[in-house]
Amino acid sequence: MENLFEESKNKTRVLILSTQASVARLFLEILQFHGKDFDFYSDNGVFTNSNNDFVIFETSDIAKATLFKPNIVLMSSEISSEQAISVLENIIPGGILVYDSSLAETVEKSLNFFRKLEYSGTSFSKSNSHFTLHTNIGAIPISSSDENLIKNIDGIKLLSQQFGVMEEDFYEPVMNFE
């Protein structure tokens, strides 16, 4: 893990802190769909390193997350306040945190300086095993049947915006993600 930080200390380090692998998979799919370049490391040993400016690290391991010293963090909805505290202390000052509204009180208590982008549960409906997102641009059908992923769509959208993928462009790869 310390090697990962050493290899990426001159890059923008993006942490996806989630127990749901689908959160990172969807985010990577969106970036690839829009031709964004990045390196990727995962807890399960998957990695790519092409010396890009951005490196994305996916983990649910709090100890590893803090060693990574991220510039940008997405904390998905299942992360508890207790888990969040040590990660908040290790965000690079001036960084960005995208977090579920359930963590708002913990985030506000953080003494570290970073930009705070809060999201709350995504508005959706479910019919059989099919989901439809209710967005500012209308109803959007989703191929995925992963309700935990659907709950974090707004957080993934905010993270994607940090890479220049705005809302209108965000939903096209999301609609086909399974």
Side-chain angles (χ1 to χ4, degrees):
M1 189 62 224
E2 290 178 24
N3 283 348
L4 176 57
F5 176 73
E6 272 307 306
E7 290 176 21
S8 61
K9 68 181 177 184
N10 295 321
K11 299 179 182 195
T12 300
R13 293 174 305 283
V14 180
L15 172 66
I16 298 176
L17 185 61
S18 178
T19 61
Q20 308 293 322
S22 58
V23 170
R25 282 194 356 257
L26 175 57
F27 179 63
L28 299 177
E29 178 84 17
I30 291 162
L31 294 182
Q32 289 169 343
F33 183 88
H34 291 289
K36 304 293 181 179
D37 295 325
F38 59 90
D39 295 334
F40 177 72
Y41 293 88
S42 175
D43 250 359
N44 65 10
V46 174
F47 66 94
T48 59
N49 186 353
S50 302
N51 292 321
N52 291 300
D53 292 335
F54 290 91
V55 59
I56 300 165
F57 178 53
E58 173 208 2
T59 189
S60 60
D61 184 317
I62 302 303
K64 289 180 182 177
T66 58
L67 288 174
F68 188 57
K69 298 182 177 107
N71 302 87
I72 303 172
V73 178
L74 168 62
M75 282 191 199
S76 63
S77 62
E78 77 282 356
I79 300 301
S80 71
S81 293
E82 295 77 33
Q83 293 171 308
I85 291 171
S86 60
V87 175
L88 296 175
E89 293 170 351
N90 286 286
I91 297 174
I92 297 298
I96 299 170
L97 172 67
V98 178
Y99 64 98
D100 183 82
S101 59
S102 65
L103 296 170
E105 189 175 319
T106 302
V107 169
E108 289 307 315
K109 290 179 182 176
S110 174
L111 299 178
N112 199 350
F113 172 74
F114 48 82
R115 186 169 167 218
K116 301 166 185 151
L117 301 175
E118 181 179 338
Y119 70 95
S120 57
T122 304
S123 177
F124 67 91
S125 57
K126 183 178 180 181
S127 174
N128 298 323
S129 63
H130 300 286
F131 290 96
T132 301
L133 298 178
H134 303 286
T135 73
N136 295 336
I137 59 176
I140 298 178
I142 303 294
S143 297
S144 176
S145 60
D146 181 348
E147 191 165 334
N148 288 315
L149 175 66
I150 303 300
K151 289 177 182 177
N152 288 290
I153 289 283
D154 283 348
I156 298 167
K157 179 174 64 174
L158 286 170
L159 182 59
S160 297
Q161 289 173 355
Q162 307 314 303
F163 284 77
V165 178
M166 297 299 123
E167 186 170 16
E168 298 79 24
D169 298 324
F170 173 79
Y171 290 109
E172 188 174 354
V174 171
M175 287 188 301
N176 299 316
F177 183 79
E178 292 186 33

